[in-house]
Amino acid sequence: CGSLREEIGRGDIVILDQFIDFTRHRKVTFHEAFEEGNLQHAPMADPFNAKLSQVLIKSAEKLNLNFHPGGTVITIEGPRFSTRAESKMFRNWGADVINMSTAPECILANELGIFYAAIALSTDYDCWKTDEEPVTWNEVLKVFNQNVENVIRLLTLTISAIK
């Protein structure tokens, strides 16, 4: 994901606790038609499972990873990256990181009652930071590949800690 905050550096992990859905063309529900007695409104005040997120946080602490124990992700449609104006707007909205995948998967998991937590691996500063080059796919892959082992270690430890 791209960082929208100076303090979230390349290679840092963010344990997400909120999302902003800025997608427009994705299916975001399993309940597309009103059926008498079967209308579903999934709660989204706290979309990420707190217990599962805490296991991720404890695992990141044990591994001594550079991580942030909370953050808001804004999900954009993609596959394009943001314009500078969009990137600045997302920062003003309170988003900490930006990606193209968390919504609607978090929404759909909640509709089905599946415990859901997510980590975001910061690979770049999107394009809001004008003293750096705007994000490129090659830079994303470079930083991701440098940190993939940390993500694997975090997921492995977290999965072994879930009871």
Side-chain angles (χ1 to χ4, degrees), residues 2-10 82-91 96 98 122-136:
S3 171
L4 296 171
R5 302 286 168 223
E6 185 83 40
E7 63 272 15
I8 300 173
R10 287 182 181 88
S82 306
T83 66
R84 286 194 201 279
E86 289 168 331
S87 191
K88 290 176 184 177
M89 176 181 69
F90 299 149
R91 285 170 43 85
D96 300 302
I98 181 169
S122 172
T123 58
D124 57 85
Y125 284 104
D126 200 39
C127 63
W128 64 270
K129 215 166 178 280
T130 56
D131 61 339
E132 295 193 8
E133 291 294 316
V135 59
T136 65

Side-chain angles (χ1 to χ4, degrees), residues 23-76:
T23 63
R24 298 176 297 280
H25 304 291
R26 299 180 189 182
K27 189 174 178 178
V28 296
T29 184
F30 292 112
H31 308 284
E32 292 185 355
F34 177 77
E35 298 173 24
E36 190 68 37
N38 193 28
L39 184 59
Q40 301 290 320
H41 294 288
M44 288 294 146
D46 298 301
F48 299 93
N49 182 272
K51 290 180 182 178
L52 189 50
S53 293
Q54 281 302 310
V55 177
L56 283 165
I57 290 167
K58 287 183 186 345
S59 296
E61 287 171 346
K62 284 181 185 175
L63 294 170
N64 200 29
L65 298 176
N66 289 333
F67 80 99
H68 304 267
T72 298
V73 61
I74 185 159
T75 301
I76 64 170

Side-chain angles (χ1 to χ4, degrees), residues 130-161:
T130 56
D131 61 339
E132 295 193 8
E133 291 294 316
V135 59
T136 65
W137 183 240
N138 288 336
E139 186 63 21
V140 167
L141 290 177
K142 177 183 166 192
V143 176
F144 183 83
N145 287 330
Q146 290 170 345
N147 291 283
V148 72
E149 192 60 39
N150 286 337
V151 173
I152 291 170
R153 289 176 36 227
L154 176 58
L155 291 175
T156 301
L157 184 59
T158 299
I159 291 168
S160 69

